[in-house]
Amino acid sequence: MQEVLDTRRRAGQKVSIIGALVNSLLSLLKIIVGYLAGSAALVADGFHSLSDVVTDFMVVFLLGISHKQADDNHPWGHGRFETLGTLVLAIILMAVAGLMAYDSLKLLFSGEIPPPPGALALAVAALSIIANEGLFFYTLKVGKEINSNLIIANAWHHRSDSLSSIVVLIAIAGAMLGIWWLDALAAVLVALLIGKIGLDLLLRSLSELVDTGLPPERVHELTETALSVDGVLDVHNFKSRSMGGQTLLEMHLQVAEHLSASEAHFIGDATSRRLRERFDEISHIIYHIDTYDDQEMPALDQPSFPARPEITQHLDAVLSRMLGELPDYELMIYYSPRRIDLDIQFNAEIWPLLSQQSLAAQVLEKGLHEELKGLNWFGRISCWLPAQGHHPLPD
């Protein structure tokens, strides 16, 4: 699992560093040219690109933390740092949007008519569109490959730059044609667009931080995969949550009533393996084995069942009365909602005891059933005897 996390981290850091370098050049170019050409929209777009540089390096830093191995202080891993990074990224986007909108509105209502921007501003806006679209598709591809919400959010940050540059391009062209207010108005529209993207990322991060479950269609895929494992009769009490691009699951697996604990555990492990093979974003699976659907069994219907010592005490007393002395045996206890079933495995010494009491094996099992049936928890009992050897079964 750690190898997968390291691969995700390296891929995410690489694309983020490339984005930081490209945005550094674009931000300087747009701010300088926008200032010299008198384009408020281009200057605002330049500061937007500068915010991308900050977030790109923040992403690099947070990926290094979020993909570290679990430790004593973070037993579930460090994936929440990635969610926290997405949250911070969203807040930065919304803050940038607010500042851009304020400055542009102030310019729009100042009454001053700025000189029209030149052709160089138009060329820089076009270059920004091309560069940011390239970054968007590249970053989004990597984000989906490594299933990182933080990288996907950063990709949309690049797309917001691209869209804002398109609006800026139109605004500059309009201003060059004499529509001076179009430049400032475009800057306000860009700010609203960036704010909307920031709000979406903020809500998505908060949803993850409060442990919102996976979408119903995803839950259906996961439960169907679990049900496809031999031995799994039902899946219930299914819980899911996301943490930094990883999925954590908890579920109850219902198996046959009289399976041994080791076989039931084997089925549970097989279910975990199949889920991880099909869904590689799963980092943790906790399963609970049930021999019945505990969702369908109201607590008030469950009697107060005895534990092994009390059950053994009842059996010892009955066997001693029936056989004259207590034989060695192994006891399997099967709890179900309304009864307890018992399997008794005797060793070879049972045969002389049966002979002494002139009891047949079937009579022993029937006698035990009659003695125990008055107990409110008793369901049924089965006796298992070894090969008879030199001790013939009495008639």
Side-chain angles (χ1 to χ4, degrees):
M1 186 63 192
Q2 188 58 39
E3 183 178 349
V4 174
L5 292 177
D6 289 340
T7 301
R8 292 179 76 245
R9 174 184 56 79
R10 286 192 294 268
Q13 288 179 328
K14 177 183 176 181
V15 72
S16 299
I17 291 172
I18 292 173
L21 294 175
V22 173
N23 279 307
S24 296
L25 295 174
L26 285 175
S27 62
L28 288 174
L29 190 61
K30 285 189 278 190
I31 291 172
I32 293 172
V33 173
Y35 177 77
L36 294 176
S39 173
L42 190 60
V43 172
D45 202 27
F47 280 106
H48 182 197
S49 294
L50 191 60
S51 74
D52 274 354
V53 178
V54 176
T55 55
D56 282 331
F57 283 114
M58 182 188 72
V59 168
V60 172
F61 172 72
L62 287 171
L63 284 174
I65 297 177
S66 65
H67 289 77
K68 290 170 61 177
Q69 286 185 333
D71 53 35
D72 291 340
N73 292 326
H74 304 89
W76 296 98
H78 297 76
R80 284 282 187 245
F81 285 95
E82 186 170 330
T83 309
L84 181 63
T86 307
L87 182 66
V88 173
L89 174 59
I91 294 173
I92 290 174
L93 279 172
M94 295 174 71
V96 169
L99 290 173
M100 286 173 59
Y102 174 77
D103 289 340
S104 300
L105 287 171
K106 186 169 68 172
L107 177 63
L108 190 62
F109 292 104
S110 66
E112 298 179 5
I113 301 177
L120 182 59
L122 197 68
V124 170
L127 176 64
S128 177
I129 295 169
I130 296 170
N132 279 293
E133 277 298 291
L135 282 177
F136 167 72
F137 284 109
Y138 175 43
T139 307
L140 185 65
K141 177 176 177 291
V142 173
K144 289 182 176 179
E145 286 176 351
I146 66 175
N147 193 36
S148 171
N149 284 333
L150 182 59
I151 297 298
I152 292 173
N154 209 28
W156 283 104
H157 200 179
H158 294 315
R159 169 53 68 87
S160 74
D161 252 356
S162 173
L163 293 175
S164 67
S165 295
I166 292 174
V167 177
V168 168
L169 182 70
I170 297 172
I172 292 174
M176 291 174 68
L177 294 175
I179 312 175
W180 66 269
W181 49 265
L182 192 59
D183 186 79
L185 180 61
V188 175
L189 295 177
V190 170
L192 292 175
L193 174 65
I194 296 170
K196 172 62 168 58
I197 294 171
L199 180 61
D200 289 343
L201 292 175
L202 177 69
L203 294 176
R204 189 186 309 170
S205 300
L206 290 175
S207 175
E208 187 171 312
L209 285 174
V210 297
D211 288 335
T212 302
L214 297 176
E217 59 273 13
R218 191 60 161 178
V219 171
H220 179 74
E221 286 183 300
L222 291 165
T223 53
E224 287 298 308
T225 300
L227 285 169
S228 70
V229 177
D230 288 339
V232 176
L233 304 181
D234 187 35
V235 180
H236 53 272
N237 284 343
F238 190 93
K239 300 174 184 176
S240 63
R241 55 179 171 160
S242 298
M243 189 172 73
Q246 302 169 41
T247 298
L248 289 75
L249 303 178
E250 183 177 337
M251 69 192 81
H252 286 208
L253 301 176
Q254 185 178 344
V255 299
E257 189 174 22
H258 287 181
L259 285 187
S260 66
S262 60
E263 185 178 358
H265 189 73
F266 172 82
I267 292 172
D269 286 345
T271 304
S272 295
R273 282 195 302 272
R274 184 164 298 182
L275 285 167
R276 290 177 187 274
E277 287 169 359
R278 182 172 178 188
F279 307 97
D280 57 7
E281 76 275 12
I282 296 176
S283 60
H284 293 277
I285 299 176
I286 300 174
Y287 65 82
H288 173 80
I289 297 294
D290 282 334
T291 54
Y292 59 92
D293 187 349
D294 51 7
Q295 287 190 132
E296 300 296 326
M297 187 62 198
L300 292 177
D301 289 349
Q302 297 186 23
S304 179
F305 285 160
R308 178 177 286 269
E310 185 177 342
I311 295 173
T312 303
Q313 186 178 12
H314 282 292
L315 273 176
D316 288 350
V318 174
L319 286 169
S320 296
R321 285 198 303 271
M322 293 182 68
L323 299 174
E325 59 181 280
L326 182 64
D328 289 333
Y329 63 87
E330 293 182 8
L331 176 64
M332 293 290 293
I333 304 174
Y334 303 102
Y335 290 89
S336 64
R338 293 183 175 85
R339 70 178 194 277
I340 300 176
D341 293 339
L342 306 175
D343 281 357
I344 301 179
Q345 178 75 51
F346 293 102
N347 60 23
E349 75 175 41
I350 190 66
W351 292 113
L353 293 176
L354 289 174
S355 297
Q356 291 171 14
Q357 300 298 325
S358 299
L359 290 176
Q362 295 86 347
V363 175
L364 174 65
E365 182 174 285
K366 185 176 180 181
L368 287 171
H369 182 86
E370 290 297 319
E371 290 281 349
L372 297 172
K373 71 178 183 181
L375 300 170
N376 65 349
W377 49 263
F378 179 70
R380 65 127 183 98
I381 189 167
S382 297
C383 297
W384 303 90
L385 283 72
Q388 186 173 348
H390 299 292
H391 303 284
L393 184 68
D395 294 328

